[in-house]
Amino acid sequence: MLNVALIALVGSGFQPTHTIINRTETTQNTTSGSLDYRAKAYLDSFVQTYFNVPKEDNALSDYNKNIQAYSDGQLPTLAQGQQLNPTQLKSATLLELTSSNASYAVTYVTAGKTHNTIFNVPYQKSGLTYVVNSQPYFTAIQKLQGAFKDKVQLGQLTPCHKLKMKP
């Protein structure tokens, strides 16, 4: 019956029409579960700059200027009597990005020693621009892999674990 109807429709010159809907999304919002890629690009660049501290003393003033360019000029800088150890960023992975904070898992080297930590960057969005509005801080890495309390290996099933098959 349906075949006859289909043949009749095709024979009569019926052409199905499709409506195309153009939809553009203006700004991605982190509260809806999407990622703000502009904020990510800005913060990725900040993390790269922050962890690549030069070895030469004369390059530290340029380093401080570069860091201040990401902020509103209020981040603490190298003061007289403080020493900033040279560091090199090995890797940075974005873990979480909210509307006011970014968390990165970072690996960096200083004085020949490798460090792994969580690096948190408070920031603020104003229109299409971003600014690091508070001092970044470190938190300890928590183990992400859980553990099962009761492991059952194949071949060691107890009678309560066996499947009951109905005939």
Side-chain angles (χ1 to χ4, degrees):
M1 181 73 138
L2 291 175
N3 288 339
V4 173
L6 181 60
I7 292 171
L9 284 173
V10 172
S12 68
F14 174 76
Q15 294 180 353
T17 59
H18 299 281
T19 304
I20 298 174
I21 299 172
N22 289 329
R23 188 174 101 191
T24 57
E25 296 186 24
T26 54
T27 306
Q28 295 176 341
N29 189 347
T30 55
T31 58
S32 67
S34 61
L35 184 66
D36 185 347
Y37 289 101
R38 288 182 179 151
K40 181 185 178 318
Y42 173 81
L43 295 165
D44 286 352
S45 179
F46 173 76
V47 170
Q48 181 78 24
T49 302
Y50 189 90
F51 281 97
N52 286 314
V53 179
K55 293 179 183 179
E56 303 81 26
D57 288 337
N58 57 353
L60 287 177
S61 63
D62 289 338
Y63 169 80
N64 282 325
K65 287 177 188 175
N66 291 337
I67 290 297
Q68 291 303 324
Y70 288 95
S71 73
D72 55 3
Q74 301 301 316
L75 290 181
T77 59
L78 187 64
Q80 184 176 355
Q82 290 180 325
Q83 180 152 357
L84 191 58
N85 295 324
T87 60
Q88 181 182 12
L89 182 67
K90 290 295 181 185
S91 68
T93 304
L94 180 64
L95 298 177
E96 182 179 20
L97 180 63
T98 66
S99 60
S100 62
N101 191 58
S103 296
Y104 287 84
V106 295
T107 302
Y108 65 98
V109 177
T110 182
K113 187 175 179 184
T114 302
H115 303 276
N116 295 307
T117 189
I118 303 295
F119 184 63
N120 301 285
V121 184
Y123 76 98
Q124 179 179 336
K125 180 178 181 181
S126 176
L128 295 177
T129 62
Y130 302 90
V131 64
V132 176
N133 62 352
S134 184
Q135 181 67 33
Y137 59 95
F138 297 90
T139 55
I141 293 180
Q142 295 179 356
K143 188 175 178 182
L144 297 178
Q145 181 177 353
F148 290 109
K149 290 182 179 179
D150 300 319
K151 292 184 179 181
V152 177
Q153 295 180 348
L154 292 176
Q156 295 181 345
L157 297 177
T158 62
C160 67
H161 291 103
K162 292 183 180 177
L163 296 175
K164 295 182 180 179
M165 305 280 286
K166 291 186 179 181

